[in-house]
Amino acid sequence: MVTEISENSPAKMRARDVSVYYGSKRAIDSVSIDIETDYVTSFIGPSGCGKSTFLRTLNRMNDTIPSARVEGAIELDGEDIYRSGMDVVQLRARVGMVFQRPNPFPKSIYENIAYGPKIHGLADGKDHLDQIVEKSLRRAGLWDEVKDRLSDSGTALSGGQQQRLCIARAIAVEPEVILMDEPCSALDPIATAKIEELIDELRGRYAIVIVTHSMQQAARVSQRTAFFHLGNLVEYGETSEIFTNPREERTKDYITGRYG
Amino acid sequence: MTEHTVKAFDEDITRLRGLIAEMGGLAEVAIQESLHALVNGDADLARQVVERDRKLDTLESEVDKLAVRVLALRAPLADDLREIIAALKIAGVVERIGDYAKNIARRVGDVEDRKRFDPLTLLPVMGEVAAEMVHDVLTAYAARDPVLAREVIQRDERVDTFYDSIFRNLVSYMVENPATISSAAQLLFVARNIERIGDHATNVAEMVHYAATGEYPPDELR
């Protein structure tokens, strides 16, 4: 595998020799990768290559699948997230997630954002909570569109707005890493552009990992790209290199549309 | 090379490569015929070379349009992207090579007293080296062959050596007999044109190398 991992890099998250099994089937085979705050990292690869599975190991979302088993080490700021006694709820606040289809709670826009800070005890009174809600919606680029109807239901928003609401919800609990699993696949090109612009604005503040089926989207939003194939991390490097001059034949065949 | 899942993409690339190959063939013939016309004082052939250059201009604009369409509609990446960009640039350079051949053809009527000039026997030989560079560099493009591209780059030195030798030779004619200045100056321009053709073929070779490997050839070659 071609990769650019340096052993002393200031990585936010480090995965070493991670394998994931669903029962006896190995979905991820010995993947090592560093995720840094300074970059947006995209995971690309054909359906079934393991990119979403691997993404979900980064905040232990696979724990919810009984047959899933993870081997190897994944560290967040040097701390093994699979160690016994790890507070998984706390982990998922630090490593937030945005899904393929926007999934706002069937509550008001305000409550969608306020829920996380409340259960994690991040808000110090009503005024502080109001501030968190406003700041999160502003960062997600949604404030101006919803500030006059915060009590409307989150599900009444358009798809693109709902997805930005979900990003605002993830931001509200002050995460360090945001995982996005095909966040634009249900959105039209304008809503997609807004999400991509938002990702670029959030870059540097949070480590962002995005799984995408759109090569052009990976090229547009990320600075690092990882190509997965059949559970292997085939190539990981600078996005501009991966898309102009990939070093691995399998990467080239995939991104130029010669796969399979 | 493996085919694209979208077959029409392969058709576009094949068509683009065909256009480039056609341009290369026309440019190569234009070089040879312009020099043939010069040596023999064949005004008819010279006129044909000038007229046929239009075809190169047309083909270049066809390459431009097709390349832009492929970029817009197929968003090519990696070696596909490098190849389309190379095609776009190569078409421009080959069109320039055609212009140099046309310029040689235009000078045919301005050279008098042909038997007097030894360089007239050297110019076709020099021209043949340059024409072969054009031929081989387009073969290298068609075959995505970086080794042949590097070999073409190295050959440019021979063209430069010819140019220096012909230059000195023609200057000595002008010094000895000012009556030759007008014709000798024309032949100097011809030599200069062929030298430029060699340089352009070298540029194409660098693009072919980049398209094929993602790297430019090493500096010591350039």
Side-chain angles (χ1 to χ4, degrees):
Chain A
M1 185 202 64
V2 176
T3 181
E4 294 186 338
I5 293 173
S6 94
E7 278 307 316
N8 52 5
S9 67
K12 190 71 192 170
M13 296 198 80
R14 294 162 71 113
R16 288 296 177 271
D17 296 321
V18 172
S19 296
V20 181
Y21 299 82
Y22 292 128
S24 60
K25 185 188 175 303
R26 185 164 58 191
I28 289 288
D29 183 7
S30 196
V31 166
S32 297
I33 194 170
D34 284 4
I35 305 297
E36 296 175 49
T37 303
D38 294 344
Y39 309 120
V40 175
T41 303
S42 57
F43 291 175
I44 61 169
S47 297
C49 71
K51 57 190 187 302
S52 289
T53 294
F54 185 71
L55 187 81
R56 286 154 182 275
T57 63
L58 297 177
N59 70 349
R60 294 187 53 171
M61 209 56 106
N62 287 325
D63 289 12
T64 58
I65 302 170
S67 67
R69 184 163 55 85
V70 178
E71 286 177 1
I74 298 179
E75 295 173 358
L76 174 62
D77 283 337
E79 183 189 13
D80 180 5
I81 65 169
Y82 280 88
R83 70 177 167 79
S84 60
M86 182 80 196
D87 180 346
V88 177
V89 173
Q90 185 59 32
L91 171 71
R92 289 182 193 145
R94 291 175 69 191
V95 183
M97 194 150 192
V98 175
F99 298 87
Q100 196 168 346
R101 293 206 157 266
N103 55 350
F105 305 135
K107 290 170 179 283
S108 71
I109 293 168
Y110 185 96
E111 276 302 317
N112 263 278
I113 310 296
Y115 178 76
K118 274 200 275 193
I119 62 161
H120 287 285
L122 298 176
D124 186 13
K126 172 82 169 81
D127 286 352
H128 188 207
L129 193 58
D130 288 352
Q131 280 171 25
I132 291 175
V133 169
E134 178 174 344
K135 188 178 78 177
S136 304
L137 285 168
R138 278 190 189 281
R139 276 197 192 154
L142 195 57
W143 176 251
D144 288 339
E145 292 163 57
V146 302
K147 63 183 176 201
D148 298 325
R149 46 178 175 138
L150 291 175
S151 54
D152 286 8
S153 171
T155 55
L157 296 170
S158 74
Q161 288 171 327
Q162 286 187 26
Q163 195 61 303
R164 278 180 285 147
L165 181 67
C166 293
I167 293 173
R169 187 176 65 189
I171 289 170
V173 293
E174 296 289 342
E176 295 154 57
V177 181
I178 302 176
L179 310 176
M180 301 188 179
D181 193 357
E182 296 183 50
C184 301
S185 60
L187 305 183
D188 72 29
I190 304 291
T192 297
K194 285 185 181 164
I195 300 283
E196 289 179 1
E197 173 63 16
L198 173 58
I199 290 171
D200 201 52
E201 277 167 23
L202 299 177
R203 170 160 65 93
R205 196 187 292 273
Y206 315 99
I208 297 173
V209 185
I210 174 171
V211 164
T212 175
H213 269 132
S214 160
M215 236 82 70
Q216 301 307 321
Q217 180 168 64
R220 286 191 301 261
V221 303
S222 72
Q223 293 73 49
R224 294 288 182 274
T225 294
F227 170 60
F228 288 81
H229 186 230
L230 300 175
N232 294 298
L233 175 56
V234 175
E235 186 166 352
Y236 174 47
E238 275 186 41
T239 297
S240 57
E241 276 294 303
I242 298 271
F243 286 112
T244 59
N245 194 12
R247 283 173 280 179
E248 293 284 323
E249 197 71 15
R250 277 191 288 170
T251 316
K252 189 192 79 179
D253 285 351
Y254 178 67
I255 65 171
T256 58
R258 292 186 175 93
Y259 172 77
Chain B
M1 212 162 216
T2 341
E3 288 179 352
H4 289 93
T5 308
V6 179
K7 296 284 180 291
F9 193 178
D10 284 325
E11 285 161 24
D12 284 346
I13 289 184
T14 304
R15 166 135 180 74
L16 200 55
R17 295 172 73 81
L19 287 170
I20 298 283
E22 192 179 350
M23 288 187 75
L26 285 173
E28 190 188 336
V29 169
I31 299 165
Q32 287 159 339
E33 292 193 344
S34 67
L35 287 163
H36 193 79
L38 182 77
V39 172
N40 301 311
D42 187 339
D44 277 347
L45 184 57
R47 196 164 39 247
Q48 284 173 35
V49 171
V50 172
E51 277 165 15
R52 246 180 284 143
D53 186 60
R54 273 197 224 123
K55 177 73 179 159
L56 269 180
D57 299 345
T58 313
L59 286 171
E60 188 204 4
S61 66
E62 269 185 59
V63 169
D64 281 0
K65 280 184 216 148
L66 181 55
V68 166
R69 208 186 75 201
V70 171
L71 289 171
L73 301 188
R74 312 226 179 266
L77 289 169
D79 54 349
D80 291 335
L81 175 61
R82 298 200 306 268
E83 171 148 350
I84 308 287
I85 297 293
L88 205 52
K89 291 165 79 178
I90 289 170
V93 176
V94 173
E95 191 274 329
R96 283 302 300 267
I97 290 175
D99 286 346
Y100 284 116
K102 181 172 72 176
N103 187 277
I104 293 172
R106 285 214 167 114
R107 295 175 191 280
V108 165
D110 298 330
V111 179
E112 292 161 353
D113 208 2
R114 291 189 150 66
K115 290 197 188 71
R116 189 196 282 271
F117 294 103
D118 289 342
L120 262 179
T121 60
L122 277 181
L123 283 169
V125 184
M126 179 187 183
E128 198 48 49
V129 176
E132 260 175 37
M133 285 174 74
V134 173
H135 176 88
D136 288 353
V137 82
L138 286 150
T139 305
Y141 172 75
R144 301 181 170 94
D145 181 350
V147 178
L148 182 55
R150 293 217 290 256
E151 203 259 303
V152 169
I153 295 173
Q154 284 167 324
R155 241 185 279 165
D156 190 40
E157 218 177 281
R158 282 170 62 197
V159 176
D160 292 346
T161 309
F162 265 112
Y163 178 65
D164 291 341
S165 153
I166 290 168
F167 181 89
R168 280 196 302 272
N169 211 323
L170 285 168
V171 168
S172 70
Y173 276 97
M174 294 194 249
V175 171
E176 277 167 26
N177 182 1
T180 64
I181 286 178
S182 169
S183 293
Q186 295 294 341
L187 295 180
L188 261 186
F189 281 123
V190 170
R192 179 69 183 160
N193 284 342
I194 302 173
E195 190 270 335
R196 296 298 299 145
I197 289 171
D199 287 351
H200 281 305
T202 304
N203 287 344
V204 174
E206 288 169 9
M207 295 170 207
V208 168
H209 195 281
Y210 178 72
T213 65
E215 314 279 344
Y216 279 98
D219 268 343
E220 60 267 24
L221 280 184
R222 289 198 262 166

